[in-house]
């Protein structure tokens, strides 16, 4: 049965990935293909493969959008306004500089243009008032034998400094004891689903009736 025909279907949802550009590509590979491509293929970014994610009594069609390098994305806030429903911030587990870079740039993520998170496929139109996009922090590493530089204390400090952000976990392709990428994305959608449950209807714009005066 097509996903949209499922009575529990809510909407198609895209997660905008910013942060470590290499980890963005690896996370997208793991999510869409189940493995990491060893060489860069410029066509892969155009073969988005959304997947079904179930949360409570709802199901979403979820895809990942590669926002490119964090600093470049910040130069074009329209990227956030057009694509962001949830912002996924990535870091490289094997790079201390990766998490430090996020510390320097996190506050520059623009707010939603009208301080609202809109749920695009809802009818009637609904929104949740928010001063910021839902932000999810995800770690990734490849190859799995690269030396860890980002420690638990680094993550705890980052989350303490940014309590509005949610840490979804870390995914490593060669270690089944770590959360899989699907579990990490599931955690991100659960955050979004909680925000959606607080949505309120957009007040309709009152109709204006114009009366044309007759000329003499």
């Amino acid at each position: 049965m097509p996903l949209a025909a499922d009575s529990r279907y809510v909407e198609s949802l895209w997660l905008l990935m910013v942060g470590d550009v290499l980890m963005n590509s690896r996370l997208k590979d793991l999510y869409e293909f189940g493995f990491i491509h060893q060489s860069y293929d410029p066509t892969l970014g155009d073969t988005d493969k959304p997947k079904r994610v179930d949360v409570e009594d709802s199901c979403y069609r979820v895809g990942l959008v590669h926002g490119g390098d964090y600093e470049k994305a910040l130069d074009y806030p329209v990227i956030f306004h057009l694509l962001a429903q949830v912002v996924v911030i990535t870091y490289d587990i094997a790079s201390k500089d990766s998490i430090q870079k996020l510390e320097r740039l996190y506050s520059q993520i623009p707010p939603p243009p009208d301080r609202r998170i809109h749920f695009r496929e809802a009818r009637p139109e609904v929104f949740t008032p928010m001063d910021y996009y839902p932000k999810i922090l995800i770690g990734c590493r490849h190859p799995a034998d690269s030396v860890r530089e980002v420690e638990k204390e680094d993550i705890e400090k980052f989350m303490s400094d940014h309590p509005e952000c949610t840490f979804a976990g870390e995914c490593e392709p060669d270690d089944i004891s770590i959360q899989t990428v699907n579990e990490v994305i599931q955690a991100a959608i659960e955050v979004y689903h909680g925000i959606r449950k607080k949505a309120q209807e957009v007040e309709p714009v009152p109709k204006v009736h114009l009366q044309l005066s007759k000329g003499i």
Side-chain angles (χ1 to χ4, degrees), residues 1 12 55 67 80 88 106 108-109 120 125 141 163 180 192 194:
M1 178 175 60
S12 294
V55 180
F80 293 88
V88 172
Y106 182 91
Q108 298 179 46
I109 296 178
R120 299 167 184 171
E125 184 179 357
R141 170 166 59 174
T180 67
Y192 179 81

Side-chain angles (χ1 to χ4, degrees), residues 20 22-30 34-40 91-95 139-149 170-175:
D20 189 289
L22 187 55
M23 292 304 109
N24 289 347
S25 296
R26 290 170 174 171
L27 186 63
K28 187 175 174 67
D29 273 356
L30 285 169
F35 61 91
I36 292 176
H37 290 84
Q38 296 304 312
S39 59
Y40 174 68
Y91 67 90
D92 184 353
I93 298 170
S95 171
C140 190
R141 170 166 59 174
H142 183 76
D145 60 357
S146 56
V147 179
R148 171 181 282 274
E149 291 187 3
E170 297 177 344
C171 35
E172 303 184 46
D174 301 324
D175 187 347

Side-chain angles (χ1 to χ4, degrees), residues 35-105:
F35 61 91
I36 292 176
H37 290 84
Q38 296 304 312
S39 59
Y40 174 68
D41 184 342
T43 66
L44 292 178
D46 298 326
T47 57
D48 297 316
K49 297 179 181 295
K51 297 166 66 174
R52 173 177 178 150
V53 177
D54 294 302
V55 180
E56 295 181 349
D57 58 349
S58 302
C59 65
Y60 296 87
R61 184 173 181 265
V62 181
L64 301 182
V65 178
H66 195 324
D69 181 76
Y70 195 100
E71 293 173 314
K72 291 180 180 178
L74 290 172
D75 291 336
Y76 301 96
V78 69
I79 292 176
F80 293 88
H81 301 337
L82 293 178
L83 296 177
Q85 289 165 289
V86 176
V87 177
V88 172
I89 305 170
T90 60
Y91 67 90
D92 184 353
I93 298 170
S95 171
K96 180 79 76 172
D97 181 67
S98 180
I99 195 75
Q100 291 173 345
K101 180 180 179 181
L102 296 188
E103 281 285 5
R104 295 193 298 269
L105 299 175

